[in-house]
């Protein structure tokens, strides 16, 4: 939606006032490879997308936070004194969680009117939640002149989701949404938070995102279950507390230590995380060398591991990937994000995109009964002030 149209909507909802309306934007993200590694202190390789979340925000001087969205019929008016409580309108808990973090840092907020407008399909694995969190964090930091460093804003947004929303997510999404650079993928070490912006020189290839339109039912609880299983794997692999994270263990060491894991399911979870870390390292090398065929192969291997060892794909994502791999010129295809539904990311020769959407679309509909969606993403910079 145009910014002027959004401003009109804001004024229709909240009325005119002499206070300035500020506009902020945070992108969505697509993870190219490195799935379910972040909360294990591993490597990830996401990039930010040109579609994201706008936030229009105005100070009121009143004792109330008023939240609205153009996306669905949900609104929440919260007295400042009740801000630390979880709200019954689930969507409101993302911005509220971030505000809670600001207050815990000792920043006193005053009344606000906030209108969100999201372009990211909800629950599709493209980080609509992190986008709402980061746009809130960047906006509050600016308009209250809080002077908080960007990395701390990222950590506060992750905490908001962990503590307020109740999903024990890692830091990848907030980091990508907060710090990504256009035309680059972000190679992030989630243990040290060291990162490098790797140029995304795709030449004749391009990325296509395919949405299964399968909603991720119970995804949050299954996600938390995987986090728990990884903690269990680390405990088996690490009786002497030598390793801080599962990602401190490389493939060779894992071969020696895996005999200590008595449960097959837990062994599979560990094998995914440790092999996926290795695939991220190899992907960065391949991207740097302009070897997109090898990068694509690694994407396919990542999907296989997420399907067989981590068990977070499901029939819809599997059909979307297997149909994609049947098309000539598709170098790589894999699920992206948490899984259990949502999107795949595909790397293909640019001449193949029409054939891809038509053939994969038809086969997917036939096999699942669901109408897929396709996006041709541009990469983007992290969250920022628009005007
Ligand atoms: C979700 C989480 C991230 C990450 C991915 C899986 O997007 O928010 O922290 O764990 O799933 O890689």
């Amino acid at each position: 939606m145009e910014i002027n149209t959004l401003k009109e909507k804001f004024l229709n909802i909240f009325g005119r006032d002499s206070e300035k309306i500020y506009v902020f934007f945070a992108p969505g993200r697509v993870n190219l490879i490195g799935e379910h590694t972040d909360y294990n202190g591993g490597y990830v390789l996401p990039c930010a997308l040109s579609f994201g979340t706008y936030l229009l925000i105005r100070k009121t001087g009143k004792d109330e936070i008023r939240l609205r969205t153009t996306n669905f019929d949900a609104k929440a008016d919260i007295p400042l004194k009740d801000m630390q409580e979880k709200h019954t309108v689930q969507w409101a808990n993302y911005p509220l969680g971030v505000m809670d973090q600001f207050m815990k840092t000792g920043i006193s907020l005053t009344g606000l009117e906030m209108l969100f407008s999201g372009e990211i399909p909800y629950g599709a694995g493209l980080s609509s939640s992190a986008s709402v969190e980061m746009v809130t964090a960047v906006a509050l930091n600016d308009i209250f002149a809080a002077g908080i460093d960007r990395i701390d804003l990222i950590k506060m947004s992750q905490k908001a989701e962990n503590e307020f929303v109740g999903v024990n997510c890692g830091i990848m999404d907030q980091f990508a949404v907060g710090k990504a650079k256009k035309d680059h993928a972000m190679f992030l070490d989630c243990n040290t938070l060291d990162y490098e912006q790797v140029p995304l020189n795709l030449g004749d290839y391009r990325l296509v995102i395919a949405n299964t339109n399968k909603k991720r039912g119970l995804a949050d609880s299954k996600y938390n279950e995987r986090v728990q299983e990884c903690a269990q794997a680390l405990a088996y692999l690490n009786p002497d507390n030598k390793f801080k994270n599962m990602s401190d263990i490389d493939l060779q060491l894992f071969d020696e230590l895996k005999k200590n894991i008595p449960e097959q399911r837990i062994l599979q979870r560990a094998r995914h995380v440790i092999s996926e870390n290795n695939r991220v390292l190899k992907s960065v090398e391949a991207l740097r060398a302009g070897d997109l065929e090898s990068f694509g192969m690694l994407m396919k291997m990542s999907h296989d591991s997420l399907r067989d060892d981590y068990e977070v794909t499901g029939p819809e994502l599997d059909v979307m990937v297997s149909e994609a791999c049947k098309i000539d010129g598709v170098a790589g295809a894999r699920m992206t994000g948490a899984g259990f539904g949502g999107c795949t990311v595909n790397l293909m020769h640019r001449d193949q995109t029409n054939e891809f959407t038509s053939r994969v679309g038809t086969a997917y509909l036939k096999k699942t009964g669901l109408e897929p969606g396709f996006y041709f993403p541009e990469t983007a910079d992290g969250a920022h002030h628009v005007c």
Side-chain angles (χ1 to χ4, degrees):
M1 223 180 278
E2 286 273 310
I3 289 180
N4 283 338
T5 317
L6 285 174
K7 281 194 172 161
E8 275 309 309
K9 277 194 182 283
F10 186 99
L11 293 172
N12 283 339
I13 296 169
F14 296 119
R16 290 186 187 273
D17 191 313
S18 56
E19 273 292 332
K20 181 171 161 59
I21 303 168
Y22 294 88
V23 183
F24 293 84
F25 176 79
R29 70 96 189 89
V30 62
N31 189 21
L32 301 183
I33 196 160
E35 220 65 85
H36 290 279
T37 48
D38 61 350
Y39 51 84
N40 290 297
Y43 301 118
V44 293
L45 193 67
C47 42
L49 300 169
S50 54
F51 46 92
T53 311
Y54 284 94
L55 167 59
L56 283 71
I57 184 166
R58 182 169 74 183
K59 284 182 166 173
T60 62
K62 296 183 188 137
D63 291 337
E64 190 180 45
I65 304 286
R66 306 185 72 196
L67 301 172
R68 301 288 185 277
T69 167
T70 62
N71 293 88
F72 35 81
D73 191 21
K75 57 180 186 176
D77 293 324
I78 307 117
L80 281 174
K81 63 176 178 36
D82 298 337
M83 288 275 301
Q84 267 119 327
E85 282 162 36
K86 232 177 143 163
H87 202 275
T88 47
V89 174
Q90 175 59 10
W91 156 80
N93 288 315
Y94 295 96
L96 283 178
V98 174
M99 292 185 201
D100 181 50
Q101 290 297 319
F102 270 74
M103 291 188 293
K104 284 183 175 147
T105 323
I107 290 152
S108 43
L109 305 179
T110 54
L112 293 168
E113 287 156 340
M114 300 166 79
L115 175 65
F116 291 83
S117 184
E119 306 163 323
I120 311 170
Y122 175 72
L126 302 176
S127 279
S128 55
S129 336
S131 182
V132 169
E133 290 152 10
M134 279 310 299
V135 82
T136 307
V138 169
L140 296 179
N141 195 38
D142 250 42
I143 66 170
F144 290 104
I148 302 173
D149 171 58
R150 181 59 67 106
I151 303 278
D152 286 329
L153 292 177
I154 288 170
K155 289 182 183 165
M156 286 160 73
S157 297
Q158 181 201 9
K159 263 192 160 176
E161 189 148 344
N162 294 164
E163 293 174 7
F164 218 84
V165 181
V167 179
N168 295 324
C169 65
I171 202 159
M172 166 173 72
D173 301 347
Q174 291 78 6
F175 213 100
V177 169
K179 279 207 80 79
K181 192 169 161 196
K182 187 172 164 47
D183 298 325
H184 290 74
M186 172 180 283
F187 173 36
L188 171 67
D189 177 337
C190 299
N191 180 28
T192 59
L193 297 190
D194 289 341
Y195 66 96
E196 192 191 322
Q197 308 279 9
V198 181
L200 201 57
N201 294 324
L202 296 184
D204 285 340
Y205 285 74
R206 66 176 308 174
L207 295 173
V208 177
I209 294 174
N211 191 345
T212 61
N213 281 322
K214 153 93 169 107
K215 290 292 167 228
R216 306 180 305 171
L218 294 178
D220 292 354
S221 61
K222 288 191 218 154
Y223 183 94
N224 287 348
E225 187 183 288
R226 293 296 179 280
V227 176
Q228 195 46 47
E229 288 169 338
C230 287
Q232 179 64 69
L234 180 62
Y236 284 135
L237 289 165
N238 193 21
D240 310 326
N241 272 334
K242 254 180 29 206
F243 311 112
K244 180 171 161 218
N245 290 301
M246 231 197 314
S247 302
D248 295 336
I249 299 167
D250 64 13
L251 276 173
Q252 206 184 341
L253 193 53
F254 179 63
D255 250 358
E256 285 167 34
L257 296 176
K258 67 183 182 205
K259 59 179 183 305
N260 298 329
I261 306 183
E263 295 172 67
Q264 177 61 22
R265 180 175 44 96
I266 302 294
L267 184 132
Q268 287 174 213
R269 306 301 188 242
R271 186 166 57 200
H272 165 72
V273 171
I274 292 167
S275 63
E276 183 78 351
N277 260 329
N278 188 257
R279 284 186 286 274
V280 179
L281 293 175
K282 287 186 170 164
S283 296
V284 172
E285 271 172 37
L287 271 182
R288 284 202 189 108
D291 180 359
L292 297 173
E293 286 297 325
S294 297
F295 176 44
M297 282 303 297
L298 291 157
M299 292 172 77
K300 290 180 186 170
M301 288 160 73
S302 166
H303 186 85
D304 291 349
S305 175
L306 288 156
R307 180 191 60 216
D308 301 336
D309 273 351
Y310 219 65
E311 298 180 285
V312 290
T313 58
E316 295 79 7
L317 284 166
D318 290 340
V319 167
M320 195 71 99
V321 166
S322 67
E323 291 301 325
C325 292
K326 290 181 189 165
I327 313 269
D328 281 344
V330 171
R334 58 181 291 278
M335 58 150 267
T336 185
F340 313 107
C343 289
T344 66
V345 55
N346 305 270
L347 178 68
M348 72 192 68
H349 195 279
R350 63 169 176 216
D351 295 344
Q352 291 307 101
T353 52
N354 286 342
E355 172 146 9
F356 175 87
T357 51
S358 116
R359 276 182 51 196
V360 174
T362 310
Y364 177 80
L365 175 63
K366 197 163 157 219
K367 291 192 173 169
T368 64
L370 293 171
E371 194 79 55
F374 295 101
Y375 320 116
F376 304 92
E378 298 292 326
T379 58
D381 290 328
H384 56 270
H385 176 206
V386 178
C387 58

